[in-house]
Amino acid sequence: MTDRIATTPFGGGPFSIALFKAHEKLEADRAALKTSGNRTGKTDKWQFLRALTEARDVYALSDRAITVLEALLSFHPEKELDGSEDIIVFPSNAELSLRTRGMSAPTLRRHIATLVKTGLLLRKDSANGKRFARKGPGGEVRDAFGFNLAPAALMAPEVFEHAEAARAHAAEVRKVRAEITLHLRDISKMIEAAFEDGQGSRSPALWLGFTEELKGLSGRVARHSALGDHKQRCDGLVRLRARVESAFVAGMDEADLRERDCEEASVQTGDISHLKSRMSGNDARNERHIQNSKKDDSFEHHSEKNETDDRAADISQRQDLNHGRPEAGQGYYQETEAHEIRGSAKGDPEQVSLGDMKRACPSFADYALEGLGNWSDARKAAELIRPMLGISKDAWLRAQQHMGPAGAIVTMAYLVERAEEIKSAGGYLRVLSEKAEAGKFRLRPMLDSLMNR
């Protein structure tokens, strides 16, 4: 009769049918242990806690609720929980707060109520609502009032099963997320290679369309998104990848056929000059020397004897900047001299923030396939746009060496913003790299000139 009275909560706590059924379930589970040869009702409390942490989404438990349960388990001296008998722990509120790293009393009551509702705990309240134990002459506990951990021990098989399913689901999510990342990387590199090899210029609508589709499927691969969303995104990337690979292979075959036709025509006419140039080395493939067919002596070659002319151009350029943007027909050195200052250093990412670059160069964000959230995204966008602007790898590497990675990225964004005005972006970048090497280049004046336009 005493056990049945103890099913009611002390004080203002209401008695509910759910609470009554929880006590009935406890007794039914204990009775089932006697007829089941496989279940013992015993479990390691720390392994159980780990499994519950993995399966907490199934039971809608927060991390703090599990912390409270961990504290209650720590008051049981044995490592093993035996659900065949009551496991009563009776900590004071002060001690329970200490073992939950200072959790307040209202927060403790809220999470304990959640554990009781989930079926992991049962209250056994005394007549006055206090938690204590009555001991016999030998010090053994005869009766105790507090929290009963036996339901948690009896739920162990169910919890372990849910934990196993949660681990399998997490492994599947990791697999699909890794596949998405690989597809994103491979597709972006194939598109970049297509622009590098000239396929993008021969079929711009096709490859720019691929770029837009990839942008729609890009973005952060969230770890906690639904598995179905991950699979849907992965399927879209697989289909896009198949089309990109087919177009890339077709473009390579077309280029090889065009090259063979050119060789045959040259042999028939006796013109083998271009064959000799191929034998001596291919500029695009071997990167031995990058030559711009539209080179401008005003920035490709200059010497010390031109210092007076450069100084005069600098004064003229500064006057133009004060009255508005310079004319597009002016020489590259004349314009870039406006960014020289005494004692300036390489481009520093702390001097020009990512937000400043986005405000001054809004067009650059269109090429960030995963969004322009950090400098890593900006670097990927710069490497994607480089072949579109006709900038060689050699010029890009030199820019990073002399300007620093962030300085080169900001400069690339500047070139994108002024792509319609600058005839040779590769030559322009080489000029700025030379100035950075000489310590005469800064990023801030360059961006300010865009902001003031």
Side-chain angles (χ1 to χ4, degrees):
M1 188 66 183
T2 305
D3 290 341
R4 184 62 64 185
I5 293 175
T7 61
T8 59
F10 171 78
F15 178 72
S16 64
I17 297 177
L19 184 60
F20 183 82
K21 287 184 176 180
H23 283 278
E24 293 294 324
K25 183 178 182 299
L26 176 62
E27 297 300 328
D29 289 342
R30 284 176 176 169
L33 292 178
K34 300 177 181 179
T35 59
S36 175
N38 297 328
R39 293 183 57 187
T40 61
K42 298 179 181 180
T43 185
D44 184 291
K45 64 181 182 182
W46 303 126
Q47 291 182 4
F48 168 79
L49 192 68
R50 179 182 178 88
L52 183 63
T53 303
E54 292 177 310
R56 65 177 186 171
D57 292 338
V58 178
Y59 299 98
L61 292 175
S62 66
D63 55 343
R64 304 197 76 187
I66 295 178
T67 300
V68 173
L69 180 60
E70 179 184 11
L72 291 173
L73 290 174
S74 68
F75 288 103
H76 181 58
E78 303 296 332
K79 183 180 179 182
E80 186 178 61
L81 299 176
D82 186 357
S84 61
E85 300 291 340
D86 285 345
I87 309 172
I88 307 297
V89 292
F90 40 91
S92 65
N93 289 335
E95 188 64 25
L96 188 56
S97 176
L98 286 175
R99 296 203 187 184
T100 54
R101 307 299 184 266
M103 194 176 294
S104 65
T107 305
L108 281 171
R109 287 194 294 270
R110 184 172 69 253
H111 291 306
I112 289 174
T114 300
L115 293 172
V116 171
K117 183 179 179 180
T118 308
L120 292 166
L121 287 182
L122 280 177
R123 292 178 179 272
K124 186 178 180 182
D125 290 341
S126 63
N128 59 5
K130 296 183 180 297
R131 305 178 201 128
F132 63 93
R134 294 193 182 101
K135 297 182 180 180
E140 72 279 3
V141 176
R142 288 187 174 182
D143 201 4
F145 299 93
F147 301 107
N148 191 354
L149 300 175
L154 295 174
M155 285 180 62
E158 174 190 330
V159 171
F160 282 115
E161 184 177 342
H162 286 307
E164 184 67 26
R167 284 193 291 269
H169 180 270
E172 184 69 16
V173 170
R174 286 195 300 269
K175 178 182 176 182
V176 178
R177 289 181 69 248
E179 189 173 349
I180 290 173
T181 302
L182 291 175
H183 286 317
L184 287 173
R185 185 183 70 188
D186 292 347
I187 294 172
S188 63
K189 286 185 178 294
M190 276 190 284
I191 293 176
E192 180 182 358
F195 281 105
E196 185 77 21
D197 294 342
Q199 296 187 34
S201 59
R202 291 194 297 269
S203 304
L206 175 65
W207 289 101
L208 288 177
F210 287 152
T211 303
E212 289 298 320
E213 288 187 49
L214 181 61
K215 184 177 180 180
L217 292 170
S218 298
R220 182 173 175 268
V221 187
R223 180 177 289 103
H224 300 293
S225 297
L227 179 60
D229 295 339
H230 285 315
K231 288 186 175 181
Q232 183 178 0
R233 183 177 180 183
C234 185
D235 292 341
L237 287 170
V238 169
R239 292 191 294 269
L240 176 60
R241 177 172 183 164
R243 292 165 52 206
V244 170
E245 287 179 346
S246 299
F248 188 77
V249 172
M252 291 176 58
D253 295 340
E254 181 183 351
D256 292 340
L257 181 60
R258 187 184 297 107
E259 189 173 354
R260 287 197 299 270
D261 292 342
C262 182
E263 291 177 1
E264 292 175 0
S266 299
V267 171
Q268 291 176 2
T269 58
D271 182 10
I272 61 173
S273 59
H274 79 287
L275 296 178
K276 291 181 179 179
S277 65
R278 285 186 59 208
M279 294 172 62
S280 63
N282 187 303
D283 294 340
R285 295 180 182 177
N286 299 328
E287 301 182 23
R288 291 175 56 186
H289 174 65
I290 305 299
Q291 183 174 357
N292 185 3
S293 60
K294 296 181 181 180
K295 66 180 181 180
D296 188 345
D297 290 338
S298 65
F299 63 84
E300 290 291 344
H301 305 286
H302 79 176
S303 59
E304 295 180 358
K305 65 180 181 179
N306 293 327
E307 289 182 356
T308 304
D309 296 337
D310 290 342
R311 190 176 299 108
D314 176 31
I315 296 174
S316 175
Q317 179 67 25
R318 294 178 187 274
Q319 292 174 350
D320 290 339
L321 287 174
N322 291 332
H323 294 86
R325 67 183 181 91
E327 298 179 1
Q330 294 177 339
Y332 296 116
Y333 258 119
Q334 181 178 352
E335 184 171 350
T336 55
E337 286 288 337
H339 309 306
E340 293 184 9
I341 62 170
R342 289 191 181 96
S344 61
K346 294 182 180 181
D348 187 350
E350 294 181 357
Q351 296 176 0
V352 176
S353 66
L354 187 63
D356 292 340
M357 184 187 73
K358 292 165 68 175
R359 284 190 294 272
C361 310
S363 300
F364 184 69
D366 296 338
Y367 299 92
L369 301 180
E370 300 180 0
L372 200 55
N374 50 50
W375 285 104
S376 178
D377 295 336
R379 177 185 59 79
K380 294 177 183 177
E383 292 178 350
L384 177 63
I385 196 63
R386 176 189 63 76
M388 299 181 188
L389 294 177
I391 298 175
S392 66
K393 290 183 179 179
D394 177 69
W396 174 238
L397 293 175
R398 288 190 60 190
Q400 294 182 75
Q401 178 183 359
H402 299 310
M403 298 178 182
I409 292 170
V410 174
T411 304
M412 187 70 73
Y414 174 81
L415 295 177
V416 171
E417 198 65 27
R418 298 199 55 198
E420 296 182 359
E421 304 172 28
I422 298 175
K423 296 179 180 179
S424 176
Y428 196 98
L429 184 62
R430 287 180 182 276
V431 171
L432 296 181
S433 298
E434 292 176 4
K435 292 184 178 295
E437 184 180 10
K440 299 179 179 180
F441 175 74
R442 286 188 64 193
L443 299 172
R444 176 62 62 182
M446 185 169 65
L447 293 186
D448 289 344
S449 67
L450 289 177
M451 298 287 286
N452 294 331
R453 292 175 59 176

